[in-house]
Amino acid sequence: MMLIQFGVAFLATISFSILFSAPKKNTVFCGLTGAFGWIIYYLLTQSGISEVAACVTATFVLTIMSRAFAAIFRTPGTVYLLSGIFPLVPGAGIYYTAYYMFRGDHAMSGAMGLQTFEVAAAIVFGIIFGFAIPQVWFNRFGKLFHKKKENE
């Protein structure tokens, strides 16, 4: 089951990166970022951790991956981050918030809206925590990768 989850997240993220015109040579790494972020989220929620905590953790990890790929491939980190965040965005929550609002069920609309807001805020905090790590660390990692590549 986890392999299916990984594969679907990988393909969805690649599709999203193509939609946003990410460079073709980076689409596989965009897909990996999104797939790993989703797997972390999936594993944490399946183990009983709250959706918000799982989302913060998964977003933090995919932000770190995005920054590492950016240092390795010398591209902007947003190429990987915007695509990688796609599986975590609470699209269903936004849909159901609007759905219940139009049906006149304000209690359900408010509950879904609050839950959606919490997940969206978790994504923001995961990105903030990921960008709190100094860029110098990622630059060193990128240099190590390029030194190994030059020696080959």
Side-chain angles (χ1 to χ4, degrees):
M1 182 64 174
M2 196 163 19
L3 189 60
I4 293 170
Q5 292 279 336
F6 186 87
V8 170
F10 179 76
L11 292 174
T13 306
I14 284 180
S15 300
F16 199 67
S17 70
I18 291 169
L19 181 68
F20 275 124
S21 302
K24 290 181 182 174
K25 65 181 181 176
N26 298 346
T27 56
V28 170
F29 298 101
C30 291
L32 288 173
T33 304
F36 277 110
W38 177 256
I39 286 299
I40 290 167
Y41 171 81
Y42 179 75
L43 289 174
L44 291 174
T45 55
Q46 294 300 309
S47 67
I49 293 177
S50 75
E51 187 177 2
V52 173
C55 199
V56 168
T57 306
T59 305
F60 174 76
V61 170
L62 73 87
T63 302
I64 298 302
M65 285 182 69
S66 298
R67 294 184 72 196
F69 286 150
I72 290 169
F73 300 115
R74 297 178 179 158
T75 56
T78 53
V79 169
Y80 309 101
L81 184 60
L82 284 178
S83 300
I85 231 90
F86 174 71
L88 299 176
V89 172
I94 295 167
Y95 170 81
Y96 283 114
T97 300
Y99 174 77
Y100 289 123
M101 184 184 302
F102 288 125
R103 290 198 65 206
D105 190 348
H106 298 294
M108 279 300 292
S109 177
M112 289 301 298
L114 181 60
Q115 182 181 3
T116 303
F117 178 76
E118 289 172 350
V119 172
I123 291 171
V124 170
F125 281 110
I127 293 170
I128 289 170
F129 296 150
F131 274 98
I133 297 172
Q135 182 63 36
V136 174
W137 294 3
F138 294 99
N139 292 344
R140 287 182 188 156
F141 180 70
K143 286 179 184 176
L144 287 174
F145 180 79
H146 290 289
K147 282 183 182 177
K148 287 180 182 179
K149 207 172 183 184
E150 291 170 1
N151 291 336
E152 291 177 358

